[in-house]
Amino acid sequence: MLDPGFFERILKELSSHALYLTFYFQGEPYLHPEFTNLVVIARKHRMYTATSTNGHYLDDERARLTVQSGLDRLIISIDGASQATYEQYRVGGNLEKVLEGAKRMVDWKRRLNSPTPHIIFQFLVVKPNEHELDQIHSLARQIGVDEVVFKTAQVYDFENGHPLIPDNARYSRYEKQSDGKWHVKSKLENHCWKMWQSCVITWDGKVVPCCFDKDGQHVMGNLQQQSFKEIWNATTYKSFRTQLLKGRKDIDICRNCSEGTSVFE
């Protein structure tokens, strides 16, 4: 679990360059008992802060602390407008609990007269839920969230089709080719802005190239032993960037990446 002292040490090094801090990678941020305190630390270093949650931990206390922390942007994943649909993708999830959490967030913003966080309902469009897009807008209006975003889904083993790929091509990252195989809509051009403008730092200090390295396999360095500047300018990072510029399709995490493809609708 991320240590607040280690976190602040990293921010002190990065604050002169970093502007935007995303508090999520492959886990639920509200499982960290000091999550809202981490936001306060980041805000102290004048960073724009955003996070994404499954919405199951937004009890009254966490909702209040979230608003008071100064968090700028809160994405609530809501992948169904009915429990039957929602639980097909969010296995074991409780839609009513998510909606109640969203109501608490809206209520505490009102009670504290706070413009933040900007609350977003994010709907990951997959085949089992694509028939409920209109209902999500209705729910958002009822609760009073600020925005609804539809996001296309990354699918593994998509080449031969997949039951999660929606019928509506607008909400799919993949398209069927004449050979019967499915391909990423992106042309896999050999460039990626993330290699020069962002990265992911895991809870234990590992620096990996981007959020598509979901298992942290491409470790560029570790902030427990090195400075960020050393890692950013080291041979390992430079070699990875060069490899991408020569052949993005030859890097496992880049072949199924959305770079060059519209992700949000």
Side-chain angles (χ1 to χ4, degrees):
M1 188 169 290
L2 178 61
D3 176 71
F6 177 52
F7 176 66
E8 181 148 32
R9 179 170 71 76
I10 295 171
L11 292 194
K12 284 180 180 177
E13 181 182 358
L14 296 179
S15 60
S16 62
H17 300 285
L19 303 174
Y20 194 119
L21 180 58
T22 302
F23 276 101
Y24 59 94
F25 181 35
Q26 292 299 300
E28 168 54 50
Y30 281 93
L31 288 176
H32 196 300
E34 296 190 63
F35 168 65
T36 53
N37 289 333
L38 297 177
V39 176
V40 171
I41 292 170
R43 294 291 298 157
K44 184 177 70 175
H45 289 279
R46 303 178 67 180
M47 293 187 182
Y48 184 94
T49 54
T51 198
S52 179
T53 176
N54 62 34
H56 284 72
Y57 300 91
L58 297 175
D59 57 25
D60 197 62
E61 178 72 358
R62 288 191 182 94
R64 176 181 64 81
L65 289 173
T66 298
V67 176
Q68 291 178 328
S69 73
L71 182 73
D72 292 291
R73 184 180 182 92
L74 177 67
I75 299 168
I76 300 176
S77 296
I78 179 164
D79 305 318
S82 64
Q83 178 62 29
T85 299
Y86 178 81
E87 65 187 8
Q88 289 186 60
Y89 185 78
R90 295 282 173 179
V91 178
N94 185 319
L95 178 60
E96 188 58 35
K97 194 170 186 178
V98 176
L99 298 177
E100 288 300 319
K103 290 175 184 177
R104 292 186 192 100
M105 287 300 311
V106 171
D107 182 55
W108 272 110
K109 280 182 64 177
R110 178 189 58 78
R111 291 164 68 177
L112 295 173
N113 193 29
S114 175
T116 58
H118 182 78
I119 303 173
I120 300 170
F121 268 0
Q122 180 172 281
F123 192 98
L124 191 68
V125 184
V126 288
K127 191 167 185 176
N129 69 17
E130 63 180 320
H131 63 289
E132 293 188 343
L133 302 187
D134 291 339
Q135 290 101 306
I136 290 298
H137 279 293
S138 178
L139 281 173
R141 286 192 296 269
Q142 291 173 26
I143 293 173
V145 302
D146 300 298
E147 185 180 355
V148 174
V149 169
F150 296 122
K151 185 178 181 181
T152 60
Q154 182 186 19
V155 175
Y156 295 107
D157 302 321
F158 58 83
E159 291 85 356
N160 295 311
H162 195 283
L164 289 179
I165 297 177
D167 292 327
N168 189 333
R170 176 181 178 182
Y171 299 106
S172 174
R173 298 186 190 184
Y174 312 94
E175 57 188 0
K176 196 172 185 178
Q177 303 295 309
S178 58
D179 60 3
K181 296 290 186 180
W182 290 76
H183 297 258
V184 180
K185 287 180 179 178
S186 165
K187 303 306 178 185
L188 289 180
E189 295 177 353
N190 298 328
H191 60 75
C192 181
W193 65 271
K194 293 180 181 179
M195 293 303 100
W196 287 267
Q197 297 187 38
S198 72
C199 69
V200 169
I201 300 173
T202 64
W203 70 271
D204 55 352
K206 296 185 183 73
V207 176
V208 298
C210 78
C211 60
F212 279 86
D213 189 3
K214 299 183 185 299
D215 297 320
Q217 296 177 320
H218 299 273
V219 179
M220 302 292 110
N222 194 311
L223 291 168
Q224 300 275 13
Q225 294 91 34
Q226 304 159 274
S227 71
F228 184 84
K229 184 176 181 180
E230 289 171 337
I231 295 170
W232 190 253
N233 295 311
T235 300
T236 302
Y237 226 136
K238 290 180 179 179
S239 296
F240 189 89
R241 295 185 184 110
T242 299
Q243 185 183 1
L244 185 146
L245 293 175
K246 289 181 176 179
R248 178 177 155 194
K249 64 180 176 59
D250 297 323
I251 304 175
D252 54 352
I253 63 171
C254 300
R255 286 194 292 269
N256 195 7
C257 172
S258 59
E259 174 70 10
T261 302
S262 177
V263 173
F264 298 101
E265 291 289 345

